C-alpha cells in the first residue's frame, strides 16, 4: 500500500509540475509530455522532457524555458534574455546537419514558457559529467557513463560539426561548452545554443561582445570564450577552436579551468589567460598523450598559433581503426555493393571491440538500412547477430526484432538461412518464448524442408535447445512429424543420423506416449543398412527405455522393438563393439520382459498352492516319471523328451538323446494346473482275455477283405473254423499247439493305421494263430488303440498247475515247454 501511495504521489507531482510549466503552451496540443530527464544551454536554462507526438507516437524530447527564472531581472533584461533564447531556437531550426540537434517542432511560446520539440536526447554533456543543475531527477543520468571511445568519437564529431558551420553555414558558434553539447539516444554529440553565433556572411556587422561583459542569464561564460573576443572584439574561426580546447580539457579532467570572471575582474582574466597559454592547465596530463600537445596549442592566446580544424581531424588520435570505421559507416550507404561488402567484412572482425552502446545505437541503425538490398543482407546479418549476442531481451525486442522478422522469411540468397542457423543459439538466448514461436519456429520449419544438407544438419543440431520455448502440442503436431518426414525422405546418411539423434534428444522434453507412439513406433520403418544409422536407432531405443518418466512397455518391446533389433545384429559392417552394444540392449529388453511377465504369471498362483509349491512339484515329478517309465520304458522310447521338449535346456536334451531310459528334468517346476496328464492306466486284463480280443479283432479285419482276392482264402477258412469252434465248444486239447507269441506291453501312443497293420506279416500271421477254446460272446471296445500285444493262449499244463491266468506275461515254465517242443 505504501508503494502505491508513493507512486500516486510521484505521478501527481509530475502532473502538477508539467501543468505549471507548460500551462497554455500550444506545444501540448501536439505532444504528450512525460518525464524531466535533463537540462541544457548556457547555465542549463533549458529543461529537457521526454515526450511523443500524439498523431504518430514518434518519440521526441521537449525543451522548455520557464520564464519564472527571470523574476530577478528587470523588464528590459528579461526581454533581452528572451530575445537571445528565441534567436538561438530559430537559428537551430534552420541548420540541418548530423552534428547539429534536429528540431521536430518549431518554437511555441506562451505567457510562461518557450518550448520546442527535438529528436530524442539523453542529456547534455554537462549533465553526464555530473553537473545536474535544473534537473529534478538526477538518478537517470547516473546510469549513463561516458567511455573513452564515446569521448574520442564525440570530440571527432564536434570537430566535423564546427567545420560544417565554418565552411558551409558560414557561422561561428562563439558559445561552445559542455552545456551546449547535447547527446542524443544514439550517442551522437550534437551542437546546441546558437543564440550568440556570428555570421561570416556579414563582415561589416559589428561583433557584439557585451554578452560576455554583462552577466545576464544564459549569456556565454568568459571561461569558455577566446581572449580576443573579450579583449579585442575580434572574432574568427580560431575562436571556436579555443573553446574546443577548453571543452576537451574539461571532459578529460572532469573540472573547469580556474579563471576569474571577465565581467568582474578583467585584469585578473588577462593574467589567467596568459598563464594558461604559456604553461597549460595544471591537470593537462589527464588528457591522452597523443592529444596533449594539440590541446596546449588550442589554448594559445595568439589565434595564429592554434591548429586548424583540418589538422585536428588528421592527428593520430582520431585516425585509429574504430573512429575511421564508424565515420565511414555513416557515409557508406550510397556506395556500390563491392565496396560495401569489403567494408562489412572488415567490420565483422572488429565489431566486438566497440562498446555495447555504440554497437546498438550507432552501428545497428546503419546496418539495418542495407536490408532493402538483398545481396548485402548476408554481409550485414553477421554483424547484426554479433550485436544481438550482447543485448538483453528488452533491447532485442525494442531495437532488433522488428528488423529481423522480415529477413527470416526470405529464401534467397541461401546464405541468409545458413547464417541464422549458425547463430540461432544467440537468438534463442535473447528471444522470449512468444518471439521464438512467432519468428524462429517458422524459420526452423523452412530449414527442415530445405534442400541444403548443411542447413538441415545445423537446424537439427539446434532443435533440442529450441523445444524449451515450445509447447508440447506444438512439438507433437509440428516439429516431430517434420523431422520424421526428413528422416524418411533423405538419402544422406549424415542427415538421417542427425534426425535420429534429434528425436532421441527430444525424449526429456516430450510426453511418454508421444515418444512411444510417434518416435519408437516410427523406428522400424527407417532404412537401417548403415552402421551409423543402426547405432543411432539403438541410441533412441536406449534413451526411450532408460529415461526417467518414459520407458517402453513390454508388449511394445516384444512385438515391435525386439523383432526390429534382432536383424540388425547380422548386418555387414558392424564392428565388434557395435554388435556387443546391440546384443546388450536386446538382453536388457529381454530381461525386462522376463521380469514383468514372470511377476504377472506368478501372481496368479493361489497362496495355499504356493506355500507347498516345493513338495507338490516333487510329488508330481515322481509320479510322472513312474508312469512314463511304466508305459514307455520297454518300448525304448523317451516320451518325456518328445512331449516336454519346451521345458528342457539344450544340455538336458543332449543327455536325453544319449540315454533313452533316463528321464530329463525340466528346468522350471511343472505347475499342477497347467501340466498335461500323461498318466497311463494300469493293465488289468488277463492273457486269455487279450488273446480273445486279438482273435476277435482279426476276424473283423478278415471280414473286411474282398472275396475276389485270391490271397484271402486261407484267412477265410481260418475265420470260419474259428466260428465253428465257438459254436461247438471243441476242447482245446484237440486243437493244434499254438504258435509262440512275444509278450509286448500295451502301448498308449497314437493309434496305428490299419494299412500298417495289414502289412504286418500279411495273412499268414493271422492264419497261424490258434483259436481259443471259447470266445467271449460280447466284444469290449479297446481303449488303448488298435494294435494289441500278441498274448498266446495258456496250455493245458498251465491250467493244470493252477497258475494264475491274470498275468499278461508268460511264465518261465511256458517258455521252457515251448523251447522243448
Amino acid at each position: 500500500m505504501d508503494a502505491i501511495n508513493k507512486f500516486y504521489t510521484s505521478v501527481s507531482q509530475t502532473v502538477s509540475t508539467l501543468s505549471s510549466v507548460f500551462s497554455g503552451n500550444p506545444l501540448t496540443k501536439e505532444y504528450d509530455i512525460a518525464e524531466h530527464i535533463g537540462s541544457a544551454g548556457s547555465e542549463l536554462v533549458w529543461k529537457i522532457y521526454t515526450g511523443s507526438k500524439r498523431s504518430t507516437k514518434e518519440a521526441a524530447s521537449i525543451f522548455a524555458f520557464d520564464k519564472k527564472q527571470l523574476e530577478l531581472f528587470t523588464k528590459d533584461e528579461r526581454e533581452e534574455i528572451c530575445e537571445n533564447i528565441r534567436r538561438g531556437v530559430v537559428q537551430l531550426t534552420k541548420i540541418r546537419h548530423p552534428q547539429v540537434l534536429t528540431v521536430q517542432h518549431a518554437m511555441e511560446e506562451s505567457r510562461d514558457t518557450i518550448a520546442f520539440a527535438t529528436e530524442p536526447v539523453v542529456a547534455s554533456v554537462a549533465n553526464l559529467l555530473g553537473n545536474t543543475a535544473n534537473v529534478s531527477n538526477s538518478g537517470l543520468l547516473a546510469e549513463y557513463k561516458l567511455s573513452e571511445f564515446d569521448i574520442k568519437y564525440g570530440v571527432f564529431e564536434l570537430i566535423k560539426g564546427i567545420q560544417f558551420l565554418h565552411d558551409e553555414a558560414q557561422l561561428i558558434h562563439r558559445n561552445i561548452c559542455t552545456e551546449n553539447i547535447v547527446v542524443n539516444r544514439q550517442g551522437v554529440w550534437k551542437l546546441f545554443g546558437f543564440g550568440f553565433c556570428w555570421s561570416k556572411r556579414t563582415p561589416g556587422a559589428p561583433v557584439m561582445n557585451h554578452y560576455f561583459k554583462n552577466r545576464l542569464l544564459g549569456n556565454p561564460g568568459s571561461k569558455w570564450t577566446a581572449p580576443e573576443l573579450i579583449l579585442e572584439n575580434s572574432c574568427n574561426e580560431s575562436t571556436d577552436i579555443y573553446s574546443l580546447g577548453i571543452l576537451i580539457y574539461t571532459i578529460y579532467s572532469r573540472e573547469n579551468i580556474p579563471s576569474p570572471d571577465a565581467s568582474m575582474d578583467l585584469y585578473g582574466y588577462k593574467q589567467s589567460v596568459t598563464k594558461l597559454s604559456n604553461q597549460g592547465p595544471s591537470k593537462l596530463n589527464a588528457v591522452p598523450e597523443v592529444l596533449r600537445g594539440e590541446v596546449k596549442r588550442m589554448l594559445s592566446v595568439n589565434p595564429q598559433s592554434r591548429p586548424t580544424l583540418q589538422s585536428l581531424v588528421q592527428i593520430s588520435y582520431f585516425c585509429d581503426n574504430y573512429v575511421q570505421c564508424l565515420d565511414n559507416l555513416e557515409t557508406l550507404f550510397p556506395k556500390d555493393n563491392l565496396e560495401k561488402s569489403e567494408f562489412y567484412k572488415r567490420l565483422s572482425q572488429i565489431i566486438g571491440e566497440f562498446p555495447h552502446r555504440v554497437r546498438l545505437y550507432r552501428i545497428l541503425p546503419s546496418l539495418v538500412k542495407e536490408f532493402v538490398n538483398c545481396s548485402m543482407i548476408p554481409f550485414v546479418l553477421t554483424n547484426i547477430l554479433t550485436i544481438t549476442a550482447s543485448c538483453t531481451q528488452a533491447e532485442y525486442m525494442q531495437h532488433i526484432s522488428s528488423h529481423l522478422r522480415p529477413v527470416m522469411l526470405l529464401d534467397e540468397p541461401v546464405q541468409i538461412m545458413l547464417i541464422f542457423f549458425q547463430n540461432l543459439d544467440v537468438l534463442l538466448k535473447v528471444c522470449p518464448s512468444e518471439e521464438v514461436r512467432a519468428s524462429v519456429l517458422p524459420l526452423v520449419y523452412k530449414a527442415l524442408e530445405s534442400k541444403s544438407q548443411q542447413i538441415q544438419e545445423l537446424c537439427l543440431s539446434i532443435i533440442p535447445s529450441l523445444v524449451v520455448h515450445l509447447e508440447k502440442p506444438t512439438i507433437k503436431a509440428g516439429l516431430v512429424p517434420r523431422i520424421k518426414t526428413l528422416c524418411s525422405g533423405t538419402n544422406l546418411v549424415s542427415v538421417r543420423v542427425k534426425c535420429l539423434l534429434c528425436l532421441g534428444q527430444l525424449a526429456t522434453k516430450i510426453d511418454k506416449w508421444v515418444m512411444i507412439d510417434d518416435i519408437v513406433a516410427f523406428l522400424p520403418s527407417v532404412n537401417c543398412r548403415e552402421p551409423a544409422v543402426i547405432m543411432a536407432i539403438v541410441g533412441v531405443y536406449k534413451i526411450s527405455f532408460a529415461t526417467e518418466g518414459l520407458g517402453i512397455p513390454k508388449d511394445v518391446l516384444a512385438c515391435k522393438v525386439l523383432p526390429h533389433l534382432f536383424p540388425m545384429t547380422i548386418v555387414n559392417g558392424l564392428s565388434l563393439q557395435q554388435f556387443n552394444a546391440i546384443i546388450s540392449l536386446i538382453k536388457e529388453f529381454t530381461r525386462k520382459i522376463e521380469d514383468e511377465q514372470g511377476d504377472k504369471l506368478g501372481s496368479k498362483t493361489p497362496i495355499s498352492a504356493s506355500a507347498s509349491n516345493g513338495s507338490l512339484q516333487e510329488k508330481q515329478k515322481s509320479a510322472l516319471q513312474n508312469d512314463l517309465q511304466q508305459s514307455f520304458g520297454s518300448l525304448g522310447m523317451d516320451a518325456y523328451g518328445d512331449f516336454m521338449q519346451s521345458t528342457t535346456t539344450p544340455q538336458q536334451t543332449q543327455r536325453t538323446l544319449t540315454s533313452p531310459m533316463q528321464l530329463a528334468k525340466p528346468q522350471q517346476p511343472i505347475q499342477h494346473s497347467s501340466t498335461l496328464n500323461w498318466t497311463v492306466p494300469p493293465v488289468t486284463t488277463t492273457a486269455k482275455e487279450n488273446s480273445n480280443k486279438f482273435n476277435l479283432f482279426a476276424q473283423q479285419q478278415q471280414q473286411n477283405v474282398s472275396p475276389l482276392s485270391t490271397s484271402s482264402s486261407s484267412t477265410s477258412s481260418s475265420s470260419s473254423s474259428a466260428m465253428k469252434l465257438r459254436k461247438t465248444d471243441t476242447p482245446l486239447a484237440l486243437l493244434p499247439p499254438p504258435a509262440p507269441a512275444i509278450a509286448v506291453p500295451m502301448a498308449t501312443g497314437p493309434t496305428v493305421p490299419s494299412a500298417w497293420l495289414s502289412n504286418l506279416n500279411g495273412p499268414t500271421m493271422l492264419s497261424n494263430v490258434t483259436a481259443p477254446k471259447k470266445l467271449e460272446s460280447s466284444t469290449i471296445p479297446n481303449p488303448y488303440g488298435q494294435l494289441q500285444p500278441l498274448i498266446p493262449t495258456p496250455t493245458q499244463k498251465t491250467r493244470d498247475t493252477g497258475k494264475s491266468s491274470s498275468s499278461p506275461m508268460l511264465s518261465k515254465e511256458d517258455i521252457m515247454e515251448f523251447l522243448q517242443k
Side-chain angles (χ1 to χ4, degrees):
M1 193 64 183
D2 293 339
I4 295 176
N5 291 333
K6 289 181 180 180
F7 178 75
Y8 177 77
T9 303
S10 176
V11 172
S12 300
Q13 291 176 354
T14 302
V15 172
S16 61
T17 301
L18 293 176
S19 299
S20 61
V21 172
F22 293 94
S23 177
N25 195 295
L27 192 66
T28 56
K29 298 178 181 180
E30 300 287 339
Y31 287 84
D32 292 324
I33 304 171
E35 191 175 9
H36 181 198
I37 59 172
S39 57
S42 297
E43 301 186 49
L44 301 175
V45 295
W46 290 93
K47 293 182 178 180
I48 305 175
Y49 295 86
T50 59
S52 62
K53 193 171 185 178
R54 291 184 177 180
S55 59
T56 61
K57 302 302 179 183
E58 183 181 4
S61 291
I62 311 301
F63 282 69
F65 174 76
D66 190 357
K67 294 181 180 181
K68 293 180 180 179
Q69 301 176 80
L70 305 177
E71 294 178 352
L72 300 179
F73 296 91
T74 63
K75 182 179 179 180
D76 295 337
E77 290 175 339
R78 289 199 298 268
E79 184 61 30
E80 184 179 354
I81 294 172
C82 289
E83 185 60 29
N84 293 334
I85 293 292
R86 298 187 192 98
R87 186 187 306 113
V89 176
V90 171
Q91 187 65 56
L92 180 65
T93 307
K94 294 178 181 179
I95 303 174
R96 295 291 181 179
H97 190 267
Q99 271 62 56
V100 178
L101 185 64
T102 302
V103 177
Q104 292 184 357
H105 190 88
M107 178 182 62
E108 298 285 357
E109 185 173 359
S110 64
R111 185 184 64 180
D112 298 324
T113 310
I114 299 175
F116 65 99
T118 69
E119 61 180 307
V121 302
V122 176
S124 63
V125 174
N127 294 152
L128 300 178
L129 293 176
N131 186 356
T132 57
N134 209 8
V135 180
S136 60
N137 185 7
S138 60
L140 299 175
L141 299 173
E143 300 177 0
Y144 195 101
K145 302 295 183 182
L146 290 174
S147 65
E148 183 177 355
F149 183 82
D150 291 330
I151 297 172
K152 178 189 292 188
Y153 196 69
V155 172
F156 179 77
E157 289 178 314
L158 287 179
I159 295 174
K160 292 172 60 179
I162 296 172
Q163 190 173 2
F164 166 79
L165 290 179
H166 293 175
D167 298 339
E168 304 294 334
Q170 296 294 305
L171 293 176
I172 297 177
H173 193 281
R174 298 202 306 169
N175 195 15
I176 296 176
C177 59
T178 55
E179 292 90 344
N180 284 328
I181 306 299
V182 178
V183 180
N184 70 357
R185 288 190 180 178
Q186 284 73 40
V188 182
W189 288 20
K190 303 273 189 170
L191 288 169
F192 177 65
F194 288 86
F196 302 94
C197 66
W198 180 73
S199 176
K200 295 168 58 177
R201 291 192 176 96
T202 57
V207 178
M208 305 296 295
N209 63 355
H210 67 275
Y211 304 118
F212 308 98
K213 296 181 179 179
N214 299 328
R215 292 303 298 134
L216 296 178
L217 184 65
N219 284 6
S222 59
K223 60 183 178 181
W224 300 99
T225 307
E228 66 273 9
L229 185 58
I230 296 177
L231 301 177
E232 302 175 2
N233 293 337
S234 62
C235 180
N236 52 41
E237 295 179 355
S238 62
T239 302
D240 287 341
I241 296 177
Y242 181 92
S243 301
L244 183 62
I246 299 291
L247 176 70
I248 295 174
Y249 171 82
T250 303
I251 291 174
Y252 280 107
S253 64
R254 301 301 173 97
E255 66 177 28
N256 296 322
I257 295 177
S259 61
D261 189 356
S263 60
M264 303 294 296
D265 185 5
L266 186 59
Y267 179 75
Y269 171 78
K270 291 180 181 180
Q271 288 185 336
S272 176
V273 168
T274 303
K275 182 180 179 180
L276 182 65
S277 176
N278 296 330
Q279 299 180 2
S282 58
K283 292 186 177 181
L284 191 61
N285 55 357
V287 179
E289 184 177 0
V290 181
L291 191 59
R292 197 176 301 163
E294 297 297 327
V295 171
K296 188 174 180 180
R297 291 175 57 197
M298 294 165 70
L299 297 179
S300 175
V301 177
N302 185 4
Q304 284 74 26
S305 301
R306 299 168 191 163
T308 62
L309 294 175
Q310 290 80 3
S311 64
L312 287 175
V313 172
Q314 296 175 0
I315 62 175
S316 60
Y317 182 71
F318 299 115
C319 289
D320 65 346
N321 292 332
Y322 306 104
V323 173
Q324 295 299 321
C325 178
L326 210 56
D327 182 46
N328 294 333
L329 183 64
E330 297 179 354
T331 60
L332 188 67
F333 184 74
K335 298 181 180 180
D336 61 274
N337 290 344
L338 180 60
E339 189 174 356
K340 287 192 290 186
S341 62
E342 294 295 332
F343 173 82
Y344 290 132
K345 289 179 182 178
R346 294 194 301 268
L347 176 63
S348 62
Q349 300 174 0
I350 62 173
I351 191 172
E353 302 176 15
F354 286 96
H356 173 64
R357 189 189 305 112
V358 175
R359 293 198 299 261
L360 185 62
Y361 292 102
R362 303 296 297 275
I363 299 178
L364 180 64
S366 299
L367 295 178
V368 296
K369 293 179 182 178
E370 295 291 349
F371 282 163
V372 298
N373 186 357
C374 292
S375 60
M376 284 292 103
I377 292 179
F379 297 98
V380 300
L381 189 58
T382 303
N383 294 304
I384 292 176
L385 292 175
T386 303
I387 298 172
T388 303
S390 60
C391 291
T392 62
Q393 283 190 359
E395 290 173 340
Y396 173 79
M397 295 302 297
Q398 181 179 358
H399 302 282
I400 303 177
S401 174
S402 60
H403 300 292
L404 287 186
R405 278 191 181 186
V407 179
M408 291 181 180
L409 302 177
L410 297 177
D411 295 326
E412 295 294 337
V414 70
Q415 290 84 359
I416 295 177
M417 192 178 297
L418 182 62
I419 294 172
F420 269 123
F421 279 101
Q422 289 173 343
N423 299 272
L424 196 58
D425 54 338
V426 174
L427 292 177
L428 295 178
K429 184 182 69 173
V430 298
C431 288
S433 298
E434 297 79 8
E435 181 67 15
V436 171
R437 291 190 289 269
S439 61
V440 179
L441 188 58
L443 181 67
V444 172
Y445 289 164
K446 188 166 61 174
L448 292 176
E449 300 170 357
S450 173
K451 297 181 180 179
S452 173
Q453 176 185 358
Q454 190 175 4
I455 292 177
Q456 291 174 348
E457 293 182 359
L458 285 173
C459 179
L460 291 170
S461 63
I462 205 69
I463 283 177
S465 59
L466 171 70
V467 295
V468 298
H469 302 277
L470 304 179
E471 298 175 351
K472 291 183 178 179
T474 304
I475 300 175
K476 178 181 179 182
L479 199 58
V480 173
R482 285 176 169 84
I483 299 175
K484 290 163 56 178
T485 302
L486 176 61
C487 185
S488 302
T490 183
N491 294 324
L492 300 173
V493 176
S494 60
V495 175
R496 186 177 293 123
V497 171
K498 286 278 187 179
C499 290
L500 294 171
L501 294 179
C502 182
L503 292 175
Q505 290 173 329
L506 295 179
T508 59
K509 312 293 192 312
I510 58 179
D511 293 331
K512 175 180 179 180
W513 296 112
V514 175
M515 189 70 189
I516 295 174
D517 297 339
D518 294 343
I519 296 180
V520 173
F522 163 73
L523 295 180
S525 64
V526 179
N527 186 359
C528 55
R529 290 176 294 180
E530 297 81 7
V533 178
I534 291 175
M535 297 315 297
I537 293 175
V538 170
V540 176
Y541 278 137
K542 190 172 184 63
I543 290 176
S544 305
F545 181 77
T547 301
E548 184 178 358
L550 295 180
I552 306 178
K554 66 178 185 297
D555 55 340
V556 177
L557 289 176
C559 300
K560 295 182 179 180
V561 178
L562 288 177
H564 184 213
L565 284 177
F566 273 111
M568 293 182 185
T569 59
I570 58 174
V571 173
N572 294 330
L574 288 178
S575 65
L576 179 61
Q577 184 179 3
Q578 293 170 341
F579 172 79
N580 291 334
I582 301 174
I583 293 297
S584 175
L585 188 64
I586 291 175
K587 292 180 179 179
E588 191 173 356
F589 289 167
T590 307
R591 192 178 303 113
K592 175 181 174 66
I593 298 174
E594 180 182 0
D595 294 342
E596 292 188 0
Q597 190 68 11
D599 293 342
K600 178 181 177 180
L601 297 177
S603 63
K604 296 181 180 180
T605 305
I607 300 177
S608 59
S610 62
S612 58
N613 189 30
S615 61
L616 181 61
Q617 291 176 357
E618 291 296 331
K619 292 179 181 179
Q620 291 175 350
K621 184 190 298 185
S622 176
L624 179 63
Q625 290 177 352
N626 293 334
D627 292 342
L628 294 176
Q629 181 70 22
Q630 181 179 356
S631 302
F632 298 103
S634 61
L635 296 178
M637 297 172 60
D638 190 357
Y640 183 74
D642 293 337
F643 294 105
M644 304 299 292
Q645 185 176 1
S646 61
T647 60
T648 59
T649 62
Q651 293 80 1
Q652 291 170 339
T653 303
Q654 183 178 3
R655 289 196 298 268
T656 301
L657 293 176
T658 55
S659 180
M661 298 302 296
Q662 182 180 359
L663 293 176
K665 297 182 180 180
Q667 184 178 6
Q668 297 292 339
I670 302 176
Q671 299 294 333
H672 180 67
S673 59
S674 60
T675 305
L676 295 176
N677 187 8
W678 300 103
T679 306
V680 180
V683 179
T684 58
T685 59
T686 62
K688 179 180 180 180
E689 293 172 343
N690 291 336
S691 177
N692 292 336
K693 293 176 182 179
F694 174 76
N695 293 333
L696 182 60
F697 172 77
Q699 294 173 9
Q700 295 174 354
Q701 293 292 330
Q702 184 65 28
Q703 292 175 359
N704 295 331
V705 178
S706 174
L708 299 178
S709 176
T710 57
S711 62
S712 62
S713 57
S714 61
T715 307
S716 300
S717 60
S718 175
S719 174
S720 60
S721 61
M723 295 297 293
K724 294 178 181 180
L725 287 175
R726 291 192 62 178
K727 294 181 179 179
T728 57
D729 293 334
T730 305
L732 293 174
L734 300 178
L735 298 174
I742 301 174
V744 180
M746 289 184 296
T748 61
T751 59
V752 181
S754 58
W756 181 87
L757 182 65
S758 62
N759 294 330
L760 187 62
N761 294 328
T764 57
M765 182 178 181
L766 296 176
S767 61
N768 293 333
V769 178
T770 304
K773 178 180 180 182
K774 183 178 181 179
L775 298 177
E776 297 293 333
S777 60
S778 61
T779 61
I780 302 174
N782 179 21
Y784 302 107
Q786 298 177 1
L787 181 63
Q788 299 295 330
L790 301 178
I791 307 297
T793 304
T795 61
Q796 183 67 31
K797 183 178 181 179
T798 304
R799 290 194 299 271
D800 296 339
T801 57
K803 295 184 181 293
S804 175
S805 62
S806 60
S807 174
M809 305 296 293
L810 292 176
S811 64
K812 182 178 180 182
E813 291 80 0
D814 293 335
I815 297 174
M816 294 299 299
E817 183 180 357
F818 175 78
L819 293 175
Q820 291 175 2
K821 292 180 180 183

